[in-house]
Amino acid sequence: MDSLRIGLVGFGTVGVGVGEILVQQSQRLTQRAGRSIQLVSAAVRNPAKRQSPLLKGGHVCSDGLDVAQDPGVDVVLELIGGLEPARQIVLAALEHGKHVVTANKALLCEHGEELFAAARRAGKTIAFEAAVAGGVPIIHVLGQSMAANQIVEIQAILNGTSNYILTEMFRHGASYGDAVRRAQEIGYAEADPSMDVKGTDAAQKLGLLTLLAFGTRVTPDKFLVQGIDTLEQADLRYADMLGYAVKLVATAKLVGGRLEMHTQPTLVRKDDPLAKVEGANNVISLTGDILGETWFSGMGAGREATASAVVADVIDLAVGRAQLTFPHLDLWGERPKFDLQPAEEIVRRYYLRFNVEDKPHVMADLTDVLGRNGISLASVIQQESPEVDESSSQGATVPLVIMTHRTTEGQYRKAAAELDRLTCVRLPRVCLPVAG
Ligand SMILES: NC(=O)c1ccc[n+]([C@@H]2O[C@H](COP(=O)([O-])OP(=O)(O)OC[C@H]3O[C@@H](n4cnc5c(N)ncnc54)[C@H](OP(=O)(O)O)[C@@H]3O)[C@@H](O)[C@H]2O)c1
């Protein structure tokens, strides 16, 4: 049988990792794929990288579109990231009769509808195992292993950088700023870490999992997305005292026939498997209506984990598995299968932290606002403040932590608007949902 001819676009962290596997494991890949896998063409922007021995024997150019249109290529690996020109390269590859493998969740989240439709028209496959949770084979699980189930809930830690930062803050008492700097030093966080710490990356991945699991396309602008960038050491300590860890949890679940979705720092009971995930790892819990709950965990990013997933997709294309599965994935619905539950109607418990003036009636004022909005308190922590000079105009403030019983997001928002008008409550006011 002919070899499978690969065109590689992007020779950065993941591209180099893929090149290494193709060169170093060629015998193993030939055996698993039933034919040899040859890197025949590569687009490399940085001229210094063009001499890499990993690219020896292939045609090297600087424009990804050349690879996408190369008649000698069977499969294009899009590994440059970003939206453009990645989108044009994928479209060109499909139009020129090539399958595509991509690790680009941002691209699929933003342009998935257009790209999947183009693949269907062309009768070609887009394989994207590496786009969510790196080395954790969750796309295969959703598309194949759990195909007999309707997924009813996804709960996951999908951003390794945020989880590493939270672990540093919790285990080593680091401030948020110091933890981010440490993540940057060891290469977990980029120079601009916004996509990770603001929750966007995790929300995009949740969007992709939701498309596969629920046949419903939901972009991050449509559901609650909150990052870890406003968290303080104090919140991790109070959560700890109350028996919880704080994790950036991505959730999509069916509630009364509608889809509840959010990606937020969340209090998770310490005995919950989500709480035990440390460092840059990812974990995903899937609940199927037949199988029940099942867990998947591992390295969510990094050269080896991501390249391993990309090459697995290439092998699936070589043996024809990916082409069989792709047309049956839940990517094609004319209408979304499930409506999104409005954020105001989501029911959860909340952890609230206020800085309040240390004077009489403050507690009464605060609980009055919460009570009038139908929010009842499960527990309260108020620590003593140091003695202050009574004549000082700036009265002392004390932290007040409240755990609520179950209430709606809408009720909390109404109460929060009233609380902001109370002079005894100083910003920032912290509100984190509690899992379960
Ligand atoms: N790194 C991870 O752990 C990881 C995990 C999961 C998914 N991913 C995804 O994998 C993809 C690649 O990520 P990465 O970490 O490998 O990124 P990266 O290290 O920044 O590599 C991207 C490479 O693409 C090249 N490039 C950019 N635009 C190009 C163009 N127009 N034509 C040709 N080459 C171009 C860059 O060239 P220069 O070097 O010349 O700038 C760079 O070498 C992204 O979609 C990312 O989200 C990455």
Side-chain angles (χ1 to χ4, degrees):
M1 197 184 268
D2 292 342
S3 61
L4 187 77
R5 298 164 303 173
I6 304 296
L8 175 68
V9 184
F11 198 51
T13 306
V14 181
V16 168
V18 168
E20 283 171 357
I21 300 177
L22 294 182
V23 169
Q24 292 162 11
Q25 307 298 341
S26 70
Q27 247 184 321
R28 181 192 298 169
L29 301 190
T30 302
Q31 196 245 322
R32 307 251 161 106
R35 53 178 156 155
S36 71
I37 294 172
Q38 302 283 343
L39 183 61
V40 295
S41 178
V44 180
R45 197 168 58 175
N46 180 347
K49 293 181 177 173
R50 297 173 68 126
Q51 306 310 323
S52 166
L54 298 175
L55 304 173
K56 218 171 78 197
H59 169 67
V60 182
C61 62
S62 57
D63 187 349
L65 279 173
D66 287 348
V67 174
Q69 295 165 1
D70 184 341
V73 165
D74 301 311
V75 178
V76 170
L77 314 186
E78 182 282 298
L79 301 175
I80 61 175
L83 300 183
E84 298 290 355
R87 175 181 149 275
Q88 293 164 39
I89 290 167
V90 171
L91 286 173
L94 294 167
E95 276 162 25
H96 285 79
K98 295 154 202 341
H99 301 295
V100 171
V101 178
T102 180
N104 192 338
K105 78 244 138 201
L107 177 70
L108 294 178
C109 185
E110 193 63 31
H111 296 299
E113 222 162 10
E114 178 191 15
L115 299 178
F116 291 135
R120 183 177 233 185
R121 273 198 310 278
K124 295 293 160 188
T125 295
I126 301 177
F128 53 98
E129 184 62 71
V132 182
V136 185
I138 202 68
I139 304 294
H140 278 67
V141 168
L142 281 170
Q144 297 174 34
S145 320
M146 287 186 72
N149 291 257
Q150 170 59 56
I151 301 295
V152 292
E153 178 163 2
I154 301 171
Q155 254 204 322
I157 292 174
L158 294 170
N159 185 265
T161 307
S162 295
N163 203 59
Y164 173 82
I165 292 168
L166 289 177
T167 307
E168 283 294 296
M169 289 174 75
F170 185 68
R171 287 268 168 251
H172 308 297
S175 68
Y176 170 76
D178 285 345
V180 171
R181 273 186 289 282
R182 221 164 288 167
Q184 285 167 327
E185 274 160 25
I186 58 174
Y188 284 155
E190 297 189 15
D192 175 5
S194 326
M195 290 289 283
D196 294 321
V197 298
K198 289 189 178 303
T200 315
D201 174 90
Q204 287 177 337
K205 291 168 178 169
L206 182 66
L208 269 181
L209 294 182
T210 299
L211 180 60
L212 279 164
F214 300 101
T216 302
R217 181 171 179 270
V218 190
T219 47
D221 55 318
K222 302 280 191 307
F223 60 94
L224 288 170
V225 180
Q226 184 186 343
I228 62 162
D229 53 335
T230 56
L231 286 183
E232 291 179 20
Q233 234 334 300
D235 298 307
L236 274 67
R237 294 291 139 225
Y238 284 120
D240 188 33
M241 281 167 64
L242 291 159
Y244 295 89
V246 180
K247 294 287 177 186
L248 183 65
V249 180
T251 302
K253 63 177 171 183
L254 290 179
V255 177
R258 291 187 299 177
L259 199 51
E260 171 184 322
M261 280 179 81
H262 31 85
T263 298
Q264 291 174 291
T266 302
L267 268 68
V268 180
R269 290 208 75 85
K270 282 187 202 165
D271 58 1
D272 187 310
L274 287 172
K276 295 178 182 146
V277 179
E278 303 234 317
N281 285 307
N282 283 188
V283 66
I284 300 149
S285 143
L286 297 179
T287 306
D289 59 350
I290 303 168
L291 176 66
E293 189 179 35
T294 181
W295 289 84
F296 305 87
S297 65
M299 275 307 282
R303 170 169 291 174
E304 287 78 15
T306 314
S308 158
V310 169
V311 177
D313 277 344
V314 171
I315 293 173
D316 270 3
L317 283 164
V319 298
R321 269 196 299 266
Q323 298 88 316
L324 288 177
T325 310
F326 185 66
H328 304 290
L329 296 180
D330 235 342
L331 306 167
W332 319 101
E334 300 279 297
R335 300 183 56 246
K337 272 197 186 159
F338 299 102
D339 290 330
L340 196 61
Q341 185 179 40
E344 286 75 14
E345 294 176 24
I346 294 174
V347 178
R348 293 176 295 181
R349 297 178 61 215
Y350 290 97
Y351 157 98
L352 309 175
R353 178 167 65 84
F354 306 95
N355 267 341
V356 295
E357 285 182 10
D358 190 14
K359 63 180 192 185
H361 286 298
V362 166
M363 189 68 180
D365 290 350
L366 218 131
T367 51
D368 174 54
V369 170
L370 295 175
R372 276 190 291 98
N373 284 284
I375 301 172
S376 61
L377 314 191
S379 68
V380 176
I381 302 176
Q382 182 177 11
Q383 285 174 340
E384 279 184 28
S385 66
E387 288 289 327
V388 287
D389 176 4
E390 297 284 334
S391 60
S392 158
S393 58
Q394 272 296 72
T397 61
V398 284
L400 180 67
V401 171
I402 293 176
M403 294 291 280
T404 74
H405 284 298
R406 289 169 78 77
T407 186
T408 65
E409 178 80 18
Q411 279 170 304
Y412 169 69
R413 286 181 187 181
K414 270 205 222 153
E418 279 190 50
L419 289 169
D420 286 348
R421 291 198 290 273
L422 290 182
T423 53
C424 62
V425 178
R426 305 270 172 82
L427 291 174
R429 160 175 55 68
V430 179
C431 170
L432 303 175
V434 180

